[in-house]
Amino acid sequence: MSGHNVWTHKGTFLLAAVGSAVGLGNLWRFPYLTGENGGGAFILIYALTIFAVGIPILIAETMLGRTSRRSPIMGMRHLTKTHRTSRAWESIGWLGAASAFLILSFYSVIAGWALHYTWLMLTGSLVGADAQTISDGFNALLASPRLMTMYHTLFIAGSALIVGMGIHKGIESGLRIMMPALFVILIVVLIYGIINGDVGAAASFLFTFNIGDLSLEGWLQAMGQSFFTLSLGMGAIMAYGAYMSSDASLTRTAIAVAFVDTAVAMVAGLAIFSLVFGAGLETGQGPGLMFVTLPLAFADMPFGALVGGVFFILVLGAALSSSISLIEPVAAFLVERFDMTRPQAVTIMVVAAWAMGLLTVVSFNVWAEGTIFHSLFGRSAFEFIELLTNIFMPLGGLMIALFAGWALTQSEVMKELGTHPTWFALWRFLVRFVGPAAVSFVFLRTIPQVEGYLIPTLGSLIIVAAFAIGQRLRHSNPS
Ligand code: PHE
């Protein structure tokens, strides 16, 4: 598509994709999931999934964006036509837009907590505070819809501002300032953790692999986390890929994104657990690890308020560079499809996600129990939305893998990837079989009745079915 926007530099896609990938998933979710699931074993599964499933799907998703040079929904529509596949594949775009919208709604609320803690830290409010005071403080934040809504509004408005200014003046310039600063802060916090904490304990916790530590639930979470952390299956990477230079290598870039993303998670984990062990605290605190355990560790350390404040700025920046990638795919679609201006499109997406986010806000207080979500799904609205995205993202990833591996004309895919035939064959094997099998495994495990030997059986059935459907869709008529 001539005249379509392209990033200013060959390497900007890498910057943008790393910005999207590195976020609350690395700094907040990864450490607490690792802490809850016994450390090293969890990391092993996580790393394997990133390598065998994450990277191949990352390559596929970027490729879909770059060959179509359109926003995810319009791009999928375009590809179904040019590759003469079924229109049904367009659902990849719609599913992605729905996930982006849902994730943004709760992502912004949680990033808002980091805003609160940046403030508390930098004003020195928590210096010398004891465990009770700090956990009461966190509970008080959760109990206040007013406070949470205020932070949620501030955060999402900031993200909207950046995307509203366009991909060059807004997203690119923003990332060019934010990302290097984030890496510097991360290193500073790590050094601080090494000096003041117990890095030996942290390292042995993170890197001692004892597969027996891992429950099946942990397996699932490790695989789900690898999708979430790479921003896969919901159009963010596809939207950014649409602006990627044709000269940049898809495979090398994807490997670099996965590598940096994983490294950030490990360094953050190392820094956080050094501080947690150094202060003699518990690792398995769940979501409160960052907002209760960590502030408590900082409370008694030299320059804790300052370094703690800087740490929460890191969290905020990382969250911001991810939330803009959640707005972009939907905003770009609205611009392309309805000829809106960018500010109009961003406003529509953000106002809708903001309103949806209020459901997350009240899930921690006034709607914490007894709502329709509890009676229908046995969980709060927030937990339900999170569950939906945990299903949508792997599902989107599965469909992307099938579409790229089976439905697209493979000679053209090979041209677009531009790698050595051996690498191409490896990639294709991974997206055709390994990715779909892994995702099916995750889904099947969520059905409690399916036990033991049934899993491999059903898994292979699904692969065969996927093959058949892929072939059929490939040859069905374009409408
Ligand atoms: N990858 C981001 C993180 O780790 C979350 C995210 C998911 C961002 C999907 C964009 C799209 O925090």
Side-chain angles (χ1 to χ4, degrees), residues 271-333:
I272 290 175
F273 287 118
S274 292
L275 294 170
V276 169
F277 283 120
L281 301 171
E282 294 289 317
T283 55
Q285 293 304 302
L289 181 69
M290 172 176 287
F291 298 105
V292 179
T293 315
L294 204 57
L296 186 56
F298 278 123
D300 277 331
M301 288 182 182
F303 306 107
L306 180 64
V307 180
V310 169
F311 172 80
F312 279 103
I313 291 178
L314 163 71
V315 176
L316 266 180
L320 197 59
S321 65
S322 297
S323 68
I324 57 180
S325 76
L326 290 161
I327 301 175
E328 180 60 25
V330 180
F333 165 69

Side-chain angles (χ1 to χ4, degrees), residues 19 104 106 110 125 128 142 169 223 242 311 331 334 343 392 396 431 438:
L104 180 62
F106 71 78
I110 296 180
S125 316
L142 297 188
K169 282 214 197 91
M223 298 180 78
F311 172 80
L334 294 175
F392 285 2
V431 288

Side-chain angles (χ1 to χ4, degrees), residues 46-247:
Y46 165 86
L48 280 179
T49 318
I50 296 262
F51 177 75
V53 184
I55 292 177
I57 296 181
L58 189 58
I59 294 173
E61 188 170 340
T62 316
M63 177 194 67
L64 297 184
R66 192 171 77 171
T67 39
S68 67
R69 291 252 177 256
R70 285 165 171 78
S71 68
I73 294 173
M74 303 305 277
M76 286 307 300
R77 183 173 298 176
H78 175 73
L79 290 176
T80 59
K81 288 195 190 120
T82 52
H83 286 255
R84 303 169 52 82
T85 71
S86 158
R87 270 289 290 271
W89 290 110
E90 197 184 308
S91 52
I92 292 179
W94 291 103
L95 189 70
S99 321
F101 169 71
L102 292 174
I103 295 175
L104 180 62
S105 79
F106 71 78
Y107 205 79
S108 168
V109 175
I110 296 180
W113 299 350
L115 206 53
H116 181 67
Y117 276 84
T118 309
W119 173 252
L120 287 186
M121 284 287 172
L122 291 181
T123 54
S125 316
L126 299 180
V127 175
D130 60 10
Q132 193 59 42
T133 315
I134 289 182
S135 89
D136 287 351
F138 186 52
N139 291 333
L141 170 67
L142 297 188
S144 167
R146 203 180 51 87
L147 214 52
M148 277 215 278
T149 305
M150 181 184 85
Y151 289 123
H152 164 50
T153 311
L154 281 176
F155 181 84
I156 212 166
S159 317
L161 210 63
I162 297 179
V163 185
M165 291 200 293
I167 70 162
H168 298 297
K169 282 214 197 91
I171 300 181
E172 262 194 76
S173 327
L175 290 170
R176 210 161 278 138
I177 302 167
M178 269 191 295
M179 298 313 289
L182 298 185
F183 289 112
V184 172
I185 296 180
L186 186 64
I187 299 303
V188 169
V189 176
L190 176 66
I191 294 174
Y192 180 84
I194 293 175
I195 296 173
N196 292 290
D198 187 347
V199 70
S204 74
F205 176 67
L206 289 176
F207 305 121
T208 309
F209 302 111
N210 180 3
I211 212 71
D213 290 345
L214 199 59
S215 61
L216 247 153
E217 184 60 25
W219 265 74
L220 298 186
Q221 286 185 330
M223 298 180 78
Q225 171 64 6
S226 59
F227 275 87
F228 186 80
T229 192
L230 290 178
S231 305
L232 286 182
M234 41 71 57
I237 292 297
M238 219 190 286
Y240 279 176
Y243 312 135
M244 184 186 191
S245 152
S246 308
D247 301 332

